[in-house]
Amino acid sequence: MTNPLYEEFFEKHRFSEKNFLFLKNKETISYKDYITSVERISFFFKKLGLFPGDRVALKLKKTPIFLSIYGACVHRGLIFLPLNDGYTNDELLYYLRDSESKLLITDKETSSELKSKKLDQGFIIETIDKDSFGSISKELIKDISSEKPVSRNLNDIAAILYTSGTTGRSKGAMISQENLLSNAQTLTEYWHFNSEDNLIHALPIYHTHGLFVATNVILLSSASMFFLEKFELETVFNYFPYSTVLMGVPTFYIRLLDSKKLTKKIVKNVRLFISGSAPLTKEINDYFFDITGKRILERYGMTETNMISSNPYKGNRISGTVGYPLPGIKVRITHQDTGRLIEKGKIGEIQVKGKNVFCGYWGMPDKTANSFTVDNYFKTDDLGRFNKSGYLEIVGRLKDLIISGGFNIYPKEVEDVVNSIKGIKENAVIGVSHKDLGESVLCIIVKEHKVLIDSNLISEILRNKLAKYKCPKAFIFKNSLPKNNLGKILKNQLREEYKDYFK
Ligand code: MLC
Ligand code: AMP
C-alpha cells in the first residue's frame, strides 16, 4: 500500500519531536503531535462514512487544525477543498453544490446559520471554532490506534481549489498528488530549504501560495513555521530575528517598507524574501534592496499550475522579472490570436507544461479542453516575454482580472451582482492602481433615470452577496459609459480616466 504524498509530507514526521509550528501565544506544536492529530481526524472521517475521492470542504479561520485536516484528507484519500473564510453563504453554497462535497467543516456561526435556514442539505457539517473547540476537537483527545494511510497513486486528485473565471461560473481546479509533490520537491531544492529554516507564515491557507507553496515546502524539508493568523506588521518585525524566510504578496513588502523598523540589522538572519501572486514593481524591489541589502526573489505561479518560474537563488535576481522556468517545467510564448510560437523577445501568451500542471476543471470537460493546446500546454491567459537573458517578464493579462493584495477579483462577477440591483442600468468594474494593494476595485455606475440609490446602499447589498475583498472600494456615478460601435464598454478608457483615483 502506498500513498506517496502522505509518505513524503506527513508519515516521515511521525516520531519527530521537532517543532512544526510556533504560534503567537508562544505555544508550539511538534511534528509528532501534528501527525497524531492528522491521524485522529482521519479516523474520524472514516467513522463519518467518508470514502476516498469524497470532497471535504473547509471554511475556517487560519488555525493549526486546518493543516491537520489537510493531512487527514491525504491520509484518507479524500479531496481537500479549502475555501476563503470570508465567503458569503451564497458563495459557499455554490462551491459545496458544484463540488458535491460530502462534508463541510466550518465555525459554529456558519453552521447554525446554514441549519436554521435549512441550507444544510446534501452534506454533513462538523464544526471547529477559532479556539479549536467544536465537534472535531473532541476527536483530537481520543486515543486511537493509528491506521495505515489509504492507498493512492500520483495521479489521484488530492485537492480542488476554486478559481473564478472571466465568464461564467467559478471552476474547481483538480490538483493531483503528483502536481503537489513535484512542485514542492522542485521549490525545496531551488530555494535551498532545509530543516534549519524558520518561515514566517502570514498568508491565508486557502490559496495555493500559503497552502501549497509555503506549507508543502516546510513539510518536505522538515522546517518550522511562525504561524500567524494574518499579516500583522509588528508581529512580523518581532519574528524577524528568529526567522530565515518570508513568503508574501507584494503588499507585505510595501507595508514593511512603510515602517521605520525595517533596517539591515532587523532582517540580518533572514536568508530569503520571496514574493509572488501579483506583480512586484521594480521600484519596491529596488527600494527594499537599498534599505535591507537583500534582493527579494520574485516568482510566478497560478492555482492551476502551482509555481512556474522563479528568479535564481544564487545568481542575478532581476527586478521586474519572474525569473527562469523552474527545472522540469516548459514555458513558451505564443501569438495570442494564432497560437503560433513567436520570436524570442516578443510579447505573447504564456503557456506551461509539466508535472506541476493540474488535471482539469471539476465537472467541466469543455472548459478543460479549451484551456489546453493540442500538444497539452496549459494556456495561462497571462501575457509575457522572455528577455535577452532568458528571464520571463509578465507584461499583462488576457483575462479581465483584478489582483488586489494578491486576491483575484473577476470584474464580471461583481458587475453581475451590481446589475442585479434594482435601479441600476449598467456598470463597469475596473482595477485601479493602489499604493498598498497594487490594484483596487472601482465601480462606475449608470443609474436608471430618477432613481434614488446611493453608494452606501449598493455597498451594503454587495457585502451580503460577495466576500468583502471583492467589493468595490469606491463607486462613481456617471450618465453613460464609453462604448465602441458594437456596444462594448471601453474599459481601457475608464482605466485611463480613473488611473489616479486611489492615489
Ligand atoms: C482584505 N481586504 C481586502 C484585501 N484583504 N480588500 C481588497 N483586497 C485585499 N487583498 C478587506 C477586508 O475584507 C476588510 O474589509 C479590509 O480590507 C481590511 O481587512 P484586513 O483583514 O485588515 O486586511 P489586511 O490584513 O490588511 O489584508 C491585506 C493582505 C491580505 C494583503 C495582507 O489580503 C492578504 O494576506 N493577501 C494575500 C492573498 C494571497 O494569499 N493570495 C495568493 C493567491 S494564490 P472591511 O470592509 O471589513 O474593512 C495565487 C497564485 C500564486 O495568486 O502565484 O501565488
Ligand atoms: P490565481 O488564479 O489566484 O492562482 O492567480 C494566478 C495569477 O496571478 C497569474 O495568472 C498571474 O496573472 C498572477 N501572478 C502570480 N504571480 C505573479 C507575479 N509574480 N507577477 C505578476 N503576476 C503574477
Side-chain angles (χ1 to χ4, degrees):
M1 291 241 279
T2 57
N3 183 329
L5 205 60
Y6 195 76
E7 281 150 29
E8 292 295 330
F9 288 175
F10 306 98
E11 177 92 39
K12 66 179 185 193
H13 300 299
R14 172 175 270 242
F15 302 109
S16 167
E17 302 282 355
K18 188 178 188 282
N19 283 322
F20 170 43
L21 302 181
F22 294 95
L23 308 181
K24 207 180 150 192
N25 60 7
K26 306 256 187 297
E27 263 181 47
T28 54
I29 296 179
S30 69
Y31 268 106
K32 188 173 150 202
D33 287 348
Y34 171 59
I35 300 305
T36 303
S37 69
V38 164
E39 295 187 356
R40 285 180 183 173
I41 294 174
S42 167
F43 189 70
F44 178 58
F45 287 161
K46 181 179 173 185
K47 282 198 299 176
L48 284 178
L50 299 181
F51 287 100
D54 284 347
R55 275 76 60 210
V56 174
L58 270 79
K59 179 184 176 268
L60 282 180
K61 288 254 174 292
K62 182 178 173 183
T63 56
I65 210 168
F66 198 114
L67 297 183
S68 303
I69 296 167
Y70 167 41
C73 285
V74 179
H75 186 270
R76 184 100 359 237
L78 303 167
I79 298 181
F80 184 64
L81 200 155
L83 296 166
N84 188 322
D85 61 305
Y87 283 147
T88 61
N89 284 346
D90 282 0
E91 290 167 319
L92 172 65
L93 286 168
Y94 168 76
Y95 297 119
L96 292 171
R97 286 172 184 156
D98 186 71
S99 63
E100 296 169 61
S101 285
K102 286 274 168 61
L103 170 66
L104 165 68
I105 306 174
T106 189
D107 51 79
K108 284 185 182 152
E109 204 187 332
T110 308
S111 166
S112 315
E113 214 181 309
L114 292 178
K115 285 184 176 163
S116 69
K117 292 181 180 159
K118 299 206 170 6
L119 293 169
D120 59 332
Q121 312 301 314
F123 51 90
I124 314 165
I125 304 185
E126 296 291 340
T127 57
I128 297 281
D129 271 357
K130 197 163 169 281
D131 304 328
S132 293
F133 293 113
S135 55
I136 294 192
S137 330
K138 288 189 216 124
E139 303 302 317
L140 296 180
I141 45 173
K142 288 187 184 157
D143 215 8
I144 51 138
S145 56
S146 61
E147 289 195 351
K148 291 248 170 295
V150 163
S151 191
R152 295 270 93 184
N153 69 49
L154 285 169
N155 295 326
D156 282 319
I157 304 304
I160 293 181
L161 295 191
Y162 271 85
T163 130
S164 298
T166 14
T167 53
R169 305 181 292 136
S170 257
K171 301 164 288 182
M174 296 187 286
I175 297 163
S176 70
Q177 288 216 347
E178 181 170 54
N179 297 150
L180 297 179
L181 191 54
S182 69
N183 213 236
Q185 284 165 336
T186 304
L187 297 176
T188 301
E189 203 170 313
Y190 206 77
W191 294 338
H192 292 224
F193 268 87
N194 62 77
S195 60
E196 299 295 303
D197 274 316
N198 285 323
L199 170 83
I200 300 182
H201 193 304
L203 289 159
I205 44 176
Y206 42 76
H207 278 312
T208 208
H209 194 167
L211 180 64
F212 295 144
V213 184
T215 309
N216 286 354
V217 161
I218 295 301
L219 287 167
L220 196 65
S221 56
S222 309
S224 308
M225 302 196 262
F226 289 108
F227 197 65
L228 298 184
E229 202 182 308
K230 56 190 283 205
F231 182 80
E232 297 155 2
L233 198 57
E234 291 310 307
T235 317
V236 170
F237 276 117
N238 290 340
Y239 283 145
F240 270 149
Y242 315 100
S243 308
T244 59
V245 185
L246 173 71
M247 275 187 203
V249 293
T251 302
F252 285 18
Y253 295 101
I254 292 168
R255 292 186 184 179
L256 288 169
L257 282 166
D258 264 350
S259 168
K260 290 209 162 53
K261 282 195 178 171
L262 187 70
T263 58
K264 275 199 172 75
K265 192 166 166 224
I266 201 158
V267 298
K268 187 169 79 137
N269 295 334
V270 184
R271 69 171 179 88
L272 184 58
F273 288 96
I274 304 174
S275 177
S277 307
L280 179 74
T281 63
K282 194 171 173 330
E283 291 70 33
I284 294 294
N285 199 338
D286 292 349
Y287 185 31
F288 194 87
F289 182 73
D290 289 345
I291 301 279
T292 63
K294 309 214 177 196
R295 173 68 69 194
I296 301 170
L297 177 152
E298 188 174 6
R299 58 65 179 171
Y300 161 58
M302 276 185 88
T303 301
E304 287 94 331
T305 61
N306 296 280
M307 296 306 102
I308 301 167
S309 74
S310 169
N311 269 280
Y313 185 74
K314 289 185 177 156
N316 245 352
R317 294 179 197 162
I318 303 186
S319 52
T321 80
V322 291
Y324 301 118
L326 286 162
I329 296 176
K330 289 184 186 160
V331 178
R332 70 184 186 190
I333 309 290
T334 61
H335 192 284
Q336 62 186 82
D337 299 324
T338 63
R340 292 219 179 95
L341 275 183
I342 54 177
E343 262 173 73
K344 196 164 170 189
K346 291 258 163 65
I347 295 172
E349 187 189 21
I350 302 171
Q351 298 188 345
V352 187
K353 191 175 183 174
K355 289 181 184 167
N356 55 313
V357 178
F358 78 133
C359 309
Y361 296 112
W362 172 262
M364 294 183 176
D366 293 347
K367 282 228 158 84
T368 303
N370 288 338
S371 303
F372 285 87
T373 62
V374 281
D375 54 350
N376 222 21
Y377 274 78
F378 176 67
K379 303 190 247 177
T380 63
D381 267 352
D382 285 319
L383 287 171
R385 73 172 152 230
F386 281 107
N387 73 12
K388 283 197 185 106
S389 317
Y391 285 66
L392 183 62
E393 293 171 2
I394 298 174
V395 297
R397 297 190 279 263
L398 287 167
K399 46 199 168 195
D400 187 12
L401 162 72
I402 301 167
I403 305 186
S404 165
F407 282 136
N408 290 8
I409 298 144
Y410 283 86
K412 170 89 170 54
E413 186 187 358
V414 183
E415 284 162 359
D416 285 350
V417 181
V418 177
N419 274 337
S420 71
I421 301 173
K422 209 164 166 236
I424 289 190
K425 195 168 164 199
E426 55 182 354
N427 80 97
V429 167
I430 55 170
V432 172
S433 171
H434 190 279
K435 186 176 173 290
D436 180 47
L437 297 169
E439 277 183 296
S440 197
V441 183
L442 183 66
C443 179
I444 300 131
I445 293 179
V446 179
K447 288 193 280 190
E448 300 281 5
H449 192 52
K450 286 189 181 159
V451 162
L452 286 176
I453 190 165
D454 64 7
S455 47
N456 289 336
L457 184 59
I458 298 172
S459 189
E460 203 184 310
I461 298 172
L462 293 190
R463 279 162 172 267
N464 282 322
K465 294 195 178 283
L466 297 170
K468 281 185 189 163
Y469 73 90
K470 297 179 191 169
C471 294
K473 298 280 186 227
F475 299 90
I476 289 173
F477 294 94
K478 278 174 87 87
N479 291 331
S480 63
L481 295 175
K483 289 189 185 148
N484 67 12
N485 292 341
L486 300 170
K488 192 168 180 271
I489 298 170
L490 296 169
K491 286 203 170 178
N492 277 342
Q493 198 170 310
L494 291 171
R495 283 188 202 103
E496 180 57 29
E497 190 175 343
Y498 295 107
K499 66 175 192 284
D500 295 329
Y501 192 85
F502 291 117
K503 281 203 175 139

